[in-house]
Amino acid sequence: MVSDSISGNVSWIGNGLALLISVCFALATVLTRRHSRVRMTPAVCLSTLIAAAISALLAGGYAVSMADMGLLFAFGRSILGSAFPSS
C-alpha cells in the first residue's frame, strides 16, 4: 500500500481519495454526535448495502481460499466479539 510512496511516486488521486474519506468520516462523526436522537441503524444498513453493491460490481472474482476464509472468520469473530462481549 505504501511501497511506492517512499521513493516519491505518489498518486494524487489516491491522496485525494484518502483526504475525501477522512473528511467524510469526520463529517459523519460530527453529524452522529450532533443529532444523537436520530437512530443511525437504517443509515448504516443502507450504506452497507450500497458499499456491497459497488464492491460486487468492481470485484474481479469471488473465490476465497480456505486459508483466507479462516482469516476472514477470525477477523469477523474478533470484531463481533469485541462489540458484543458475553456477560
Side-chain angles (χ1 to χ4, degrees), residues 4-85:
D4 286 341
S5 64
I6 294 173
S7 64
N9 297 331
V10 296
S11 168
W12 292 107
I13 294 173
N15 287 343
L17 286 174
L19 180 63
L20 179 67
I21 289 169
S22 300
V23 169
C24 287
F25 182 75
L27 181 65
T29 302
V30 169
L31 287 174
T32 302
R33 289 180 60 89
R34 180 160 300 194
H35 301 288
S36 60
R37 65 190 174 280
V38 178
R39 289 183 44 106
M40 288 293 130
T41 306
V44 170
C45 183
L46 179 63
S47 65
T48 301
L49 292 174
I50 291 171
I54 292 172
S55 298
L57 292 174
L58 298 177
Y62 299 109
V64 177
S65 69
M66 288 306 290
D68 287 342
M69 184 59 74
L71 290 173
L72 289 169
F73 178 79
F75 180 69
R77 179 64 184 121
S78 65
I79 295 299
L80 287 176
S82 64
F84 304 107

